Amino acid sequence: MLTLLNRARYQESDECVCITFLTCDRKRRQGGDWRTIERAQICGLPYSVRENEMRGVVDLNSGIKTTAVHLHLIFEINGKRVFK
């Protein structure tokens, strides 16, 4: 999974991935929404976020710059299930 994500680097690669994940924000007590990003690329985040197994995602269709996604909440990449 990480190999696919790392190949799709923002402004470094032409490759994109389609990911489906759940949102979660413990501090605000929000989340549980399914989100799908059709054309996503990985971008940089602060080191504290990366240490918590999260990655920044850029949605190339809508232009939203950075969405933090937890690796354990990604369920599909390019239509293939990640976790059972």
Side-chain angles (χ1 to χ4, degrees), residues 4-80:
L4 286 173
L5 291 176
N6 288 335
R7 274 193 247 151
R9 294 295 244 166
Y10 183 60
Q11 294 182 342
E12 293 178 15
S13 171
D14 294 332
E15 195 170 333
C16 297
V17 293
C18 175
I19 62 171
T20 301
F21 62 96
L22 276 172
T23 60
C24 180
D25 189 341
R26 290 183 180 174
K27 289 181 183 176
R28 295 182 188 141
R29 297 183 185 218
Q30 296 176 345
D33 300 322
W34 287 98
R35 294 195 51 205
T36 300
I37 300 178
E38 302 282 330
R39 293 183 60 223
Q41 287 187 330
I42 302 303
C43 66
L45 285 176
Y47 288 108
S48 61
V49 177
R50 191 170 177 91
E51 290 171 1
N52 291 322
E53 297 181 346
M54 297 180 79
R55 298 296 184 267
V57 176
V58 176
D59 185 353
L60 297 178
N61 286 338
S62 69
I64 295 175
K65 278 291 188 183
T66 305
T67 302
V69 176
H70 198 287
L71 293 179
H72 292 284
L73 296 178
I74 297 176
F75 285 87
E76 286 184 1
I77 296 179
N78 293 336
K80 296 179 183 176

